[in-house]
Amino acid sequence: MESKMWRSCLVAALVGVSLFLRVTPVWSQDRDEPGARLERLERRVNEMAERQEQLLRRLGAQMEHQRAMIPPGAENFRAPLPPPGVPARGPQNPHAARVAKGLHDALGLLFLIGIICNILLTIWIFTDIRKRGEGSGIFVALALVAGIPAAIIYSLVRLGDKKT
């Protein structure tokens, strides 16, 4: 039954692809003369070259227009300060930026270590529950979420189970 269903799905997929893509076979393209095909390709290349030249001319005209708007010697002037309340662009204090980057990296490392510890505690709790053959699987989920506090609670419950 499953093989018939897979075959029908495959047939439906092939029909859908052939209807929506409308692929032309390679042998139908080769019926044209090679000379006519070469002429079409040359024409297309020439059209693309003309468009490229037009775009380059437009770009050159825009660059000239922008240069004409800047007065001579203005490139040495400083940019005006932003209005109050708008943060300035770029780091004002490179040392502070370095410290902030270091703090960001340290916090990322601590976060990664915390995740690894949670996973290791979860594995320990899971294997201990399996080995003892008793206990609740809820501690596995708690260890994933809470980490060290859940492991402490589990160990206290386990110690309490041993004494009884």
Side-chain angles (χ1 to χ4, degrees):
M1 184 71 178
E2 278 187 36
S3 63
K4 289 182 181 180
M5 186 172 173
W6 280 106
R7 287 180 188 164
S8 63
C9 288
L10 181 63
V11 168
L14 289 175
V15 168
V17 167
S18 65
L19 287 176
F20 290 113
L21 293 182
R22 299 197 185 257
V23 179
T24 57
V26 174
W27 58 85
S28 69
Q29 293 176 353
D30 291 337
R31 290 182 187 169
D32 296 338
E33 282 184 26
R37 186 173 181 198
L38 183 62
E39 287 177 14
R40 284 194 313 256
L41 288 173
E42 285 179 1
R43 198 174 327 122
R44 181 73 179 142
V45 168
N46 288 336
E47 289 172 3
M48 291 174 67
E50 288 174 10
R51 287 182 188 159
Q52 183 180 10
E53 288 176 10
Q54 290 173 355
L55 288 173
L56 287 175
R57 275 188 245 124
R58 286 182 192 165
L59 180 64
Q62 287 178 354
M63 294 298 287
E64 288 298 323
H65 179 67
Q66 288 178 354
R67 283 189 202 135
M69 291 180 66
I70 299 174
E75 55 271 353
N76 292 334
F77 289 99
R78 288 182 50 170
L81 292 175
V86 176
R89 282 196 234 160
Q92 297 296 329
N93 188 352
H95 179 68
R98 237 177 293 133
V99 169
K101 173 79 168 113
L103 183 64
H104 181 266
D105 292 343
L107 287 175
L109 183 63
L110 285 175
F111 184 72
L112 181 65
I113 290 171
I115 289 175
I116 291 172
C117 285
N118 280 7
I119 291 172
L120 290 175
L121 286 172
T122 304
I123 291 171
W124 172 69
I125 290 173
F126 179 75
T127 55
D128 190 58
I129 288 173
R130 280 286 184 103
K131 182 176 70 176
R132 292 175 65 216
E134 60 184 46
S136 175
I138 190 75
F139 285 109
V140 175
L142 280 174
L144 274 176
V145 175
I148 294 174
I152 292 171
I153 293 171
Y154 174 74
S155 60
L156 291 174
V157 168
R158 183 177 172 218
L159 289 175
D161 286 346
K162 281 185 178 180
K163 291 183 180 180
T164 57

